[in-house]
């Protein structure tokens, strides 16, 4: 009997091209929904520090990207654009609330790095900067954990906070991988130009989602109730 002819679009090259296209669409949507953030250097000179409030829009866009990319990874997507818009609308309010504390913590860390006195001993100054960078990486990783969890589960805001921090220790391998992704990205931007994030942002979020799949499985197995006959009834 002749073998079954492969269906069009089932090959690895076609799937790889679909992923690349999806990441590009996600990156474009990230940029479009954060135009205010992109223009912050210009807006600060026009309207002052009020322009920094544009960073609150980062939360909803990252949640929407995580939702779209996770569906793309699982092969359940209905188009990255459609999934992104759907999540952006439904999770906007909670994503803003969830993201604010992490943004405030990062602002405090950044302020402390900026005001470190140059008169400090070289070794002490290096240690202080290293400690603050490490703390910033932890906060960023916890923040992305929170965005990822919000994109997948319907938890209360305070539970999102708890789980985002709990996951740092409970899933150490995932946490180290995510921190590594953020560190390499930050290092690359420092060595080149910060504007590169406009083209790499979608890829960074996609890699974060790819690396965090065990974390989602862990949370789903430990903190959610599986659907079954009893639950359905």
């Amino acid at each position: 009997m002749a073998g079954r002819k492969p269906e069009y679009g089932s090959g690895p090259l076609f799937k790889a091209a679909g992923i690349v296209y999806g990441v590009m669409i996600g990156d474009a949507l990230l940029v479009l929904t954060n135009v205010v953030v992109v223009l912050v250097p210009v807006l600060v000179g026009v309207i002052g520090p009020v322009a920094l409030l544009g960073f609150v829009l980062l939360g909803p866009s990252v949640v929407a990207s995580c939702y779209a990319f996770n569906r793309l990874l699982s092969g359940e997507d209905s188009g990255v654009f459609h999934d992104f818009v759907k999540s952006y609308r439904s999770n906007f309010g909670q994503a803003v609330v969830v993201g604010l504390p992490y943004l405030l913590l990062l602002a405090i860390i950044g302020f402390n790095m900026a005001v470190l006195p140059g008169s400090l001993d070289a070794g002490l100054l290096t240690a202080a900067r290293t400690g603050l960078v490490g703390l910033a990486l932890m906060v960023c990783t916890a923040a992305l954990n929170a965005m990822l969890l919000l994109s997948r589960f319907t938890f209360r805001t305070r539970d999102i906070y708890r789980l985002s921090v709990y996951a740092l220790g409970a899933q150490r391998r995932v946490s180290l991988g995510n921190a590594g992704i953020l560190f390499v990205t930050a290092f690359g931007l420092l060595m080149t130009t910060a504007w590169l994030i406009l083209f790499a942002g979608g890829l960074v979020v996609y890699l974060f989602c790819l690396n965090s799949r065990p974390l989602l499985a862990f949370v789903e197995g430990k903190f959610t109730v599986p659907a079954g006959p009893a639950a359905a009834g």
Side-chain angles (χ1 to χ4, degrees), residues 97-111:
V97 173
V98 168
L100 279 176
Y102 301 105
L103 288 173
L104 289 174
L105 284 173
L106 289 173
I108 293 170
I109 293 170
F111 175 78

Side-chain angles (χ1 to χ4, degrees), residues 107-131:
I108 293 170
I109 293 170
F111 175 78
N112 278 278
M113 289 190 69
V115 300
L116 280 175
S119 58
L120 283 176
D121 176 75
L124 186 59
L125 185 61
T126 300
R129 286 176 175 168
T130 302

